[in-house]
Amino acid sequence: MKQDHRAVVIGVALVLSVLTALLIAGHGPWAGQTLVEFTSRHGLNTGDVPVLVLWIVGMLGCGYLLRRR
């Protein structure tokens, strides 16, 4: 893989991670019920699960692209 493609894949992984952090940190009405409580105001909610699943799929795709010849 060329160096510029590698930089693009790493950039996409970084953007995916930042967006995931922003979505999980939100406290909107769409957050759903708390599954795991970390503090009295923070925890893993049902609305966070699809975000985490999509992040994992995105990271697996980025890993595949980085390892592809």
Side-chain angles (χ1 to χ4, degrees):
M1 178 179 285
K2 293 182 180 179
Q3 194 65 19
D4 57 333
H5 290 125
R6 184 177 182 87
V8 170
V9 172
I10 291 171
V12 168
L14 180 63
V15 169
L16 277 172
S17 297
V18 169
L19 288 174
T20 299
L22 290 173
L23 285 170
I24 289 177
H27 297 284
W30 58 85
Q33 295 179 345
T34 302
L35 299 173
V36 178
E37 192 171 309
F38 301 122
T39 67
S40 62
R41 294 179 38 115
H42 295 92
L44 180 67
N45 300 317
T46 54
D48 297 334
V49 174
V51 174
L52 289 174
V53 169
L54 290 172
W55 177 78
I56 290 169
V57 170
M59 292 296 106
L60 289 172
C62 287
Y64 168 77
L65 290 173
L66 284 174
R67 287 173 180 76
R68 192 175 80 163
R69 293 200 182 335

